[in-house]
Structures are given as C-alpha cells and as structure tokens.
Amino acid sequence: MLFKEILLPALLETLYMVAISTIFAMILGFISAVVLIISKPKGLRPNLLIYKSLNLIINILRSFPFIILMISIFPLTKIIVGTTIGTNAAIVPLTLGAAPFAARIIESALLEVDYGIIEAAKSFGAKNHQIIFKVMVKEAMPSIVLGVTLTIINIIGYSAMAGTIGGGGLGDVAVKYGYYRFKTDIMIYTVIILIVVVQITQALGNLLHRKMVK
Amino acid sequence: MIKVCGVSKSFSKVKVLEDVSFTVDKGDIYGVIGHSGAGKSTLLRCFNGLETYDTGTINIMGKEVKELTSKELREFRKNVGIIFQSFNLINRKNVFENIAFPLEIWGKDKSFIKERVDSLIDLVGLKDKVNSDVRQLSGGQKQRVGIARALALNPKILLCDEATSALDPKTTKSILELLRDINNKFNITIIVVTHQMEVVKEICNKFILLEGGEIRSQGTTDELFVRPTKEMKTLIGEEELLPDTGYNIKIFFSKEISQKCLITSIARELNIDFSIVWGRLEKFRDNVMGSLIINASEENKGKILNYLDEKSIGWEVII
C-alpha cells in the first residue's frame, strides 16, 4: 500500500525529473564545454571574448546554492513551463543548476586529451569539427561517461531539494511525510530508495567506463 | 624539394631558430641533430605549419608554408606525413581505425580505405595486429602504426620528430630499417629530427647539426663520421686524451682503407715503432669508418707523413 501509493509514484517522478534534466543539462553542458575548448587561448579558434563571458556565466551559475537558484529563476520557469509548481517546473532549475556543472566536467575531460593526438590529427589535415568530434570527444568519452554519472547523481540530490518546494518526487515525500508528519518509516524508505538509485547509477557508470577503457 | 632559407623564430624573447638555411633534395633522408632545446623539433614543425616562423622562407614543393591559407594548408598536409616521439595514436581506436583515420578525414570510401589500410599494415609488418587495441602494443609496434598512418595519404615527405627516442636500441634499429625501406620503395623524402647520433649514422645521407637554434655543422653523413667537426665531437661527448711527448698523428679511415692492413704496413715497410694512442672505428651502415691516432717520435714523423701522402690517406697532426 505504502509503497504502491506513495513511494512508487514518487520514485517515478524523481526518475522522470532526473532523466529529462540530465538530457537537457548534458546538451547545454556539452555545447558550452566545446565552445570553451575551441575559444580558449591556444584553442582551435581562440576567442577571448566568448571564452571569458562563457566562463563568467558558468561560474556565476555555479555560485548559486541550488535552492536559491530555483527560487530566483521562478519567473523564467513560469515563462517556459507556465507554472512554478510540479515536476515539469522543477526540470527548468534542475537543468540550469546542473548544466554548468556538466560543462566543467566535460571541459576537463576534453582538456585531458593529449595535445599530441590533436596535433597529429591536425597534421593529417583534419578540420576543426573533425578534431573535436572524431578525436577529442572520442578520446574523452570514458571520462565524459564518469562525468555524466556524477552529474546524474548530483541532479538526484538537487531533485530532492526541488521536491520540498513543490517539485514532487522522493524529496517531496520525505519532507511531507517524514518531516511534517513525523513518519520516520517513510523517511527511512525514501532514503533507502535514494541510496539504491544512486548506487545503481554509479555502478552502471563504472561498468560503461570500464568497458570503454577495457 | 625543401628549401629553407634564413629562417628565424623566437618565443617571446628567446631565439629558437636563427638564420637556418639548407636544402633537401627529393629522396634524401635528411638528419637534423642536436641536443634537446636546440630548436630542431620547432624547425620540423614549421615544415607542416604546426609552428610558424618569424622571418625567412620555407619552400616545400614550390609552396611557401607561411603563406598558405588554412584551407591550402590542410590540402598541403596531405603531402607531408609526420610521426612523433610519443606516437600520438588515438587510444580508443584499434590499429586499423588509427591507420584509416587520415583517409576517413578526407572522405575516402570504405572499400578504398580497407584496401589501402591493409596494404599499409602489410608494409609495416603488423598483419596479426589489425584489430588490436593500440594500448596493448609495444612501443615499436605503436611507431609502426604511426608510420602506416603517416603514409596513408601517400605523402611525398615524411617528417620524423624524435621518432625513435622512446624506443630501445634494437627496436630503434628495426624502425630505422623500415624507414629506409620506405625511402627506397616509394622515394619518399624523409626528414629525421633526433638527438641520437646512431640514427643519423644509420639512415641519413645528409644532416645539419643545430645548437642554440643555429646550424653548427652541415654536410654528408660519411664525412661527418670520418672527420667530425668540433661541434660534432661535443655532441658525441668525445674528447681525446693524448700523450704529451712525441707527435700525435691522426689517420682517417675511409671505407676503402679500413681493410688494407694500414697500421701494420706502416710499421713493416718503414721499419719504425709507434703506439696507437686513440682510436675510433665504427660500423657505418655496412662499412667500417673512423680514425686512429698514433704517437711517433719526432724523427719518424716525416717518414710516416710521407708514407701516408704516398698512399693518399688523410691525416692530421694533433698538437
């Protein structure tokens, strides 16, 4: 009963929020990381203005504690989703909160690629986009996979916070039942479920990473 | 083929290359030798536009490298393959995919790539490793993949940036043999940048010695080993310790006289005694070359020198 009526729907909500925001955050993060890599001094096409502005935006977004970020972008959320309450509404701050994090993670994975390999690709006449996608992203993929795993786990954590101010999901349940109504058992269940979800995510990430580096 | 004229370059205030000029002909295996930091890698990287140079000209196959637009440069790089000290293979691609990579970049079709890569793998002797992960290869095998990859686009010139510096002597030798084979078979011009004297000795027909960005020595390799210049000796780290008494006469051994019982015939025919005080004989490709220094008394000096002149053997009195 308890599981079917309260915990399962909450879990599904959490998974939904996390999944959608991970996808959006990865897309935004990936684009930003690639732009950073290309435009950085000594990058493939250095552009200090773009590099510095993007850097600043990412740093600013990363300085926000998530809960503050969520509240302060309510107006934006309203424009995009039409409401500030509910799972869909939570996806906007989750995405914006995780994208800068993802950007940094992917950026550092791309920076790790041995410069010699990039130079070799250049020497064979590769175009910039070929160097980025066929060499850098390809080489950095195992690190990116670990980064995505990290991002997902981060988003799971954020989603619990989003739950407390109307986002739904497991965080919502934990606060509503566990905190306001002193139902310790429900609190414990949600924590256990979250632990399991995080464990599975990390295990999958590690497995994929190991497969890639063999 | 390659004409370098008055090339200079500096990184901020430090001069890395200063007024470097030399000419490489088609089919040459040209050595650029020097200590680390001598500017040799920088020079090589100017050849395919990975580095720029401040003044001077580098004319390769009629094109001035500095003046190429980025599109022309890409096109130009098809003709100039390069291999590296650290191989720079893509770790997440296997041997086949690494060699196929330049071909893919240039949009060759699958069947062409397959055929080309297979023939290259044959050439470098890695037939049993086609699908191996490059991380599992030994250094020598990795460099073979590097060579195959560099040759994929059928370049006219192959640049080797310390290509054997990370390899043990035996592997180095096999890689050098492969390079010589390639040079013979396809008449590809090869530029070899190295700090290893053996490499120059083994495969180069001409060389320049760079120090502090300047050319200190220049010539054909045979000459270099028979009559090393002072700069060459410093590089080899060779110093002669000679007796103070009597006369020290240095006799140069070219490949013709190394097997002519020279030393014993001097002693026998002139009926004199002398000691051998220093010597350096080395295997040079399939010949023996080098020099011996003998120490003789003053009265015998004239006789010996006359004798050497008669047989037209190179000598030098060392004081």
Side-chain angles (χ1 to χ4, degrees), chain A residues 118-134:
Chain A
I118 297 166
E119 231 166 30
K122 266 193 201 174
S123 308
F124 304 124
K127 293 180 185 152
N128 284 349
H129 70 89
Q130 289 169 323
I131 294 176
I132 293 162
F133 293 103
K134 293 197 166 183

Side-chain angles (χ1 to χ4, degrees), chain A residues 116 119 124-125 127 138-139, chain B residues 45 74 88 91-92 106:
Chain A
E119 231 166 30
F124 304 124
K127 293 180 185 152
K138 172 104 187 160
E139 279 291 276
Chain B
R45 291 151 57 87
R74 291 201 324 111
N88 294 345
N91 293 315
R92 296 201 54 243
W106 286 97

Side-chain angles (χ1 to χ4, degrees), chain A residues 114-117 119-128 130-131 134-135 137-142 212-214, chain B residues 45 48 50 74 77-78 80-82 84 86 88-93 101-102 104-106 133 135 149-150 153:
Chain A
D114 183 357
Y115 190 67
I117 299 179
E119 231 166 30
K122 266 193 201 174
S123 308
F124 304 124
K127 293 180 185 152
N128 284 349
Q130 289 169 323
I131 294 176
K134 293 197 166 183
V135 180
V137 173
K138 172 104 187 160
E139 279 291 276
M141 216 41 176
M212 280 179 162
V213 296
K214 252 178 257 175
Chain B
R45 291 151 57 87
N48 70 349
L50 283 178
R74 291 201 324 111
R77 281 170 171 165
K78 277 204 275 190
V80 186
I82 182 165
F84 304 87
S86 48
N88 294 345
L89 304 175
I90 300 174
N91 293 315
R92 296 201 54 243
K93 288 180 190 275
F101 184 59
E104 267 170 37
I105 281 177
W106 286 97
D133 211 322
R135 273 171 299 209
R149 180 176 68 170
L153 295 167

Side-chain angles (χ1 to χ4, degrees), chain B residues 101-149:
Chain B
F101 184 59
L103 298 162
E104 267 170 37
I105 281 177
W106 286 97
K108 304 281 191 242
D109 65 74
K110 278 226 163 69
S111 58
F112 176 84
I113 293 180
K114 173 100 178 68
E115 205 178 306
R116 180 85 188 121
V117 175
D118 281 345
S119 78
L120 287 164
I121 285 178
D122 249 3
L123 176 75
V124 299
L126 286 176
K127 223 169 181 178
D128 50 333
K129 300 278 180 196
V130 188
N131 294 314
S132 296
D133 211 322
V134 293
R135 273 171 299 209
Q136 287 157 2
L137 301 180
S138 68
Q141 290 168 333
K142 281 184 186 169
Q143 198 56 285
R144 284 171 187 272
V145 177
I147 292 172
R149 180 176 68 170

Side-chain angles (χ1 to χ4, degrees), chain A residues 57-134:
Chain A
I57 295 171
I58 290 174
N59 285 343
I60 290 175
L61 281 173
R62 292 203 61 201
S63 324
F64 275 88
F66 179 69
I67 202 150
I68 309 290
L69 177 78
M70 190 163 75
I71 295 163
S72 55
I73 63 164
F74 270 166
L76 180 69
T77 311
K78 187 130 195 180
I79 295 170
I80 296 174
V81 194
T83 171
T84 59
I85 300 169
T87 338
N88 282 328
I91 288 171
V92 178
L94 282 179
T95 303
L96 275 181
F101 179 78
R104 284 287 182 233
I105 296 257
I106 298 171
E107 184 198 13
S108 67
L110 292 175
L111 281 175
E112 255 173 55
V113 176
D114 183 357
Y115 190 67
I117 299 179
I118 297 166
E119 231 166 30
K122 266 193 201 174
S123 308
F124 304 124
K127 293 180 185 152
N128 284 349
H129 70 89
Q130 289 169 323
I131 294 176
I132 293 162
F133 293 103
K134 293 197 166 183

